[in-house]
Amino acid sequence: MFRIILVVLMLSFTSLTAHAHDYHASITDARYNPRTQSLEVAVKVFMDDLENALSQKSKSKVTYSQSPQVQQLVQEYIGATLSFELEKGKPLSHTFVGAEQEADVVWVYLEVPVKTQNLTHLYVRNVVLHELFNDQMNIVNLDYKGKVNSSLFQKNDGTRKMSF
């Protein structure tokens, strides 16, 4: 039942137009690349929500663009609100690959070195946009060697262990 709800949410999220949305959600897809021993992460957020979060953080109006200043804000924001850990309390470093606009959403791309041949679990923290919306839902899909583990993060969920 939970997987059905996640699928419906993901399909609804991808079919939205540029009009205001009634709910607040993000989707994070992380796929383990055994060749590079890293997670390749893609985060999908509504552009207007991301602009609001960046504006609140910087205390000035931010309009999404490819400018170095805005990309730096995106990098800092995602780095502060999304983390992956092998050991609880020890976030892995990440490399900001970039971000791009697609209609009314922004895709943010990260690479997270994991450096292990046998990944049994990850601790994930996803509080993207939780400071803005009490009803914010963040779906995280982790793909490790073809096995996908999905989890829904809501306000005050904190860090969660996801096993493979």
Side-chain angles (χ1 to χ4, degrees), residues 58-90:
S58 68
K59 296 177 179 43
S60 64
K61 175 83 171 119
V62 174
T63 301
Y64 181 79
S65 71
Q66 287 295 316
S67 75
Q69 297 85 359
V70 171
Q71 292 298 299
Q72 181 67 35
L73 288 172
V74 171
Q75 177 181 354
E76 291 169 3
Y77 179 75
I78 294 297
T81 57
L82 176 67
S83 65
F84 299 90
E85 306 170 351
L86 289 172
E87 295 179 47
K88 195 167 186 176
K90 296 183 180 179

Side-chain angles (χ1 to χ4, degrees), residues 6-155:
L6 283 178
V7 169
V8 169
L9 280 173
M10 289 187 310
L11 290 174
S12 297
F13 187 68
T14 59
S15 67
L16 293 173
T17 63
H19 303 303
H21 46 276
D22 292 332
Y23 68 96
H24 304 99
S26 78
I27 297 176
T28 299
D29 290 322
R31 180 179 309 260
Y32 179 75
N33 183 331
R35 185 180 54 76
T36 61
Q37 293 184 329
S38 63
L39 291 174
E40 297 169 348
V41 181
V43 182
K44 185 178 186 179
V45 295
F46 284 108
M47 185 168 48
D48 60 335
D49 294 342
L50 181 60
E51 289 172 336
N52 287 339
L54 298 178
S55 296
Q56 184 179 70
K57 183 179 182 333
S58 68
K59 296 177 179 43
S60 64
K61 175 83 171 119
V62 174
T63 301
Y64 181 79
S65 71
Q66 287 295 316
S67 75
Q69 297 85 359
V70 171
Q71 292 298 299
Q72 181 67 35
L73 288 172
V74 171
Q75 177 181 354
E76 291 169 3
Y77 179 75
I78 294 297
T81 57
L82 176 67
S83 65
F84 299 90
E85 306 170 351
L86 289 172
E87 295 179 47
K88 195 167 186 176
K90 296 183 180 179
L92 297 169
S93 64
H94 69 274
T95 301
F96 178 74
V97 177
E100 64 182 347
Q101 179 181 346
E102 179 183 282
D104 63 339
V105 298
V106 174
W107 284 95
V108 181
Y109 304 104
L110 307 171
E111 186 172 15
V112 181
V114 178
K115 303 299 181 199
T116 182
Q117 290 290 341
N118 189 21
L119 189 61
T120 58
H121 67 272
L122 274 175
Y123 294 96
V124 179
R125 177 179 168 266
N126 189 332
V127 294
V128 172
L129 303 174
H130 281 189
E131 75 281 10
L132 293 181
F133 308 109
N134 287 330
D135 63 342
Q136 178 69 33
M137 298 179 292
N138 297 323
I139 301 165
V140 175
N141 301 307
L142 289 177
D143 182 337
Y144 178 68
K145 297 183 178 179
K147 182 177 181 190
V148 179
N149 186 341
S150 298
S151 191
L152 176 65
F153 289 78
Q154 294 177 298
K155 191 123 179 150

